[in-house]
Amino acid sequence: MEGQRNVSELIVLGLSHDQNMQIFCFVLFLFCYAALLVGNLLILVSIRCSPLFHQPMYYFLSHLSTLDICYTSSVTPKLIADLLVERKAISYGNCMLQVFAMHFFGMIEVLILIVMAFDRYAAICKPLHYLLIMNRTRCNLLVLAAWAGGAVHSFPQFCMVIRLPFCGPNEIDHYFCDIFPLLKVACTDTYITGVLMVVNSGMVTLVTFVVLFFSYVIILFTLRNHSAEGRRKALSTCGSHITVIVLFFGPSIFAYLRPPTNFPEDKVFALFYTIIAPMFNPLIYTLRNSEMKNAMRKFWCQT
């Protein structure tokens, strides 16, 4: 690998060169990251210390909160720190680690969202068999499968990226190390690698979105036969999930399902799936969920 490159560090150009804009972004993203950490930790502790942990939906939600923290922490702290310095450098090793962590935790989060959709399908469409279908053993296996899927998705990409030679320009027009910006500065023909990346990331993202979309269409179609109270409760839960899916998958599809090029708009869209969507997850899943609010109120009032 050392023979293929003479670049020991890479320069990320960041979101803006304007000093005032950088200060504004520093305050904004510091607040967003703090809100994300506090919100997701609040969900984690509240679920773990309440009977909700034994319900499949909240068991998966606790894993989603953990992944939100891991996924965003692979990018956001470095972004916040870079907003305070003029030269935004990242070592080659940390850059490769960031690429791997982003896609590893991101893919696990995607698969957990699919598992949560399956859980809602079982609860609404197969209510009499729900506890049998979503027993704890199956829940554990589904979470384990999500982690295995994250590894299967991320390791091939990581292997392709780490083999790229970097021997010339080392400036990345982004605020973190991602695949397409790295392909642009690699000193070799990256067409085949770019196509493989689009198939791996772009098609996986699109197929996942389509599967989730039709899953919730089936769930909403089934709700016609429920009582008004049952429809209201189910729609509240599904509405939360659909909001998360739109916030996460919309920008992700734009970023990865296209020819492997780098656009200035990529940085804006990347903010949605790296910071904004994970930050809103705690709000979406708590403010629209009476069981979650009651569990949090009961636990923290006792504390």
Side-chain angles (χ1 to χ4, degrees):
M1 190 173 64
E2 289 291 335
Q4 292 180 320
R5 62 180 176 87
N6 56 17
V7 172
S8 60
E9 68 174 14
L10 295 148
I11 307 298
V12 291
L13 298 182
L15 294 171
S16 173
H17 297 290
D18 182 76
Q19 188 66 31
N20 293 327
M21 180 59 70
Q22 290 193 60
I23 294 172
F24 170 77
C25 289
F26 171 79
V27 174
L28 175 63
F29 296 135
L30 183 63
F31 169 79
C32 290
Y33 187 57
L36 181 147
L37 290 178
V38 171
N40 281 296
L41 287 173
L42 192 62
I43 288 177
L44 269 173
V45 174
S46 299
I47 291 176
R48 293 276 178 171
C49 299
S50 74
L52 291 180
F53 184 67
H54 301 289
Q55 298 184 30
M57 184 178 78
Y58 297 101
Y59 174 70
F60 296 135
L61 179 57
S62 68
H63 283 279
L64 183 67
S65 293
T66 303
L67 289 165
D68 273 341
I69 294 172
C70 296
Y71 174 67
T72 308
S73 295
S74 65
V75 172
T76 309
K78 174 70 173 137
L79 166 63
I80 294 170
D82 282 346
L83 290 168
L84 297 177
V85 297
E86 184 176 348
R87 188 173 182 272
K88 303 168 177 51
I90 182 171
S91 69
Y92 175 82
N94 287 338
C95 181
M96 294 299 107
L97 180 62
Q98 195 174 64
V99 171
F100 173 76
M102 273 284 298
H103 287 270
F104 179 61
F105 292 119
M107 190 62 201
I108 299 171
E109 183 161 346
V110 164
L111 294 173
I112 290 292
L113 289 173
I114 292 178
V115 169
M116 293 176 75
F118 175 72
D119 172 71
R120 289 302 84 204
Y121 168 80
I124 295 169
C125 301
K126 308 284 185 182
L128 298 179
H129 301 92
Y130 175 66
L131 294 178
L132 181 63
I133 295 171
M134 301 304 295
N135 57 63
R136 182 45 61 100
T137 301
R138 183 161 292 157
C139 290
N140 290 334
L141 287 174
L142 288 170
V143 170
L144 183 62
W147 282 82
V152 169
H153 165 76
S154 57
F155 271 108
Q157 286 193 332
F158 178 70
C159 291
M160 283 188 285
V161 171
I162 205 169
R163 292 178 63 185
L164 290 173
F166 297 96
C167 50
N170 66 337
E171 288 189 345
I172 301 174
D173 189 15
H174 216 301
Y175 64 87
F176 67 93
C177 287
D178 202 5
I179 293 170
F180 288 168
L182 286 171
L183 292 180
K184 190 174 181 180
V185 298
C187 51
T188 187
D189 182 10
T190 59
Y191 177 78
I192 299 299
T193 305
V195 171
L196 292 174
M197 297 298 183
V198 170
V199 171
N200 193 345
S201 291
M203 291 305 298
V204 165
T205 305
L206 179 63
V207 170
T208 304
F209 176 75
V210 171
V211 168
L212 288 170
F213 176 78
F214 281 105
S215 297
Y216 284 106
V217 167
I218 294 170
I219 291 170
L220 294 175
F221 184 77
T222 306
L223 287 175
R224 297 181 311 160
N225 304 321
H226 287 232
S227 64
E229 178 63 21
R231 283 198 302 269
R232 185 198 63 78
K233 186 175 180 180
L235 283 171
S236 176
T237 303
C238 292
S240 303
H241 295 193
I242 292 168
T243 305
V244 170
I245 289 165
V246 171
L247 283 173
F248 187 86
F249 281 95
S252 299
I253 290 172
F254 173 83
Y256 294 109
L257 191 67
R258 63 159 201 251
T261 53
N262 202 30
F263 296 118
E265 296 83 3
D266 287 351
K267 291 183 276 190
V268 177
F269 280 95
L271 290 173
F272 280 90
Y273 59 82
T274 57
I275 301 174
I276 296 173
M279 180 190 69
F280 277 114
N281 280 0
L283 295 174
I284 291 168
Y285 282 113
T286 54
L287 296 181
R288 294 177 59 89
N289 190 310
S290 58
E291 287 183 324
M292 192 70 229
K293 285 189 289 186
N294 290 336
M296 292 172 65
R297 191 181 301 114
K298 185 181 295 185
F299 173 77
W300 292 105
C301 287
Q302 287 176 352
T303 305

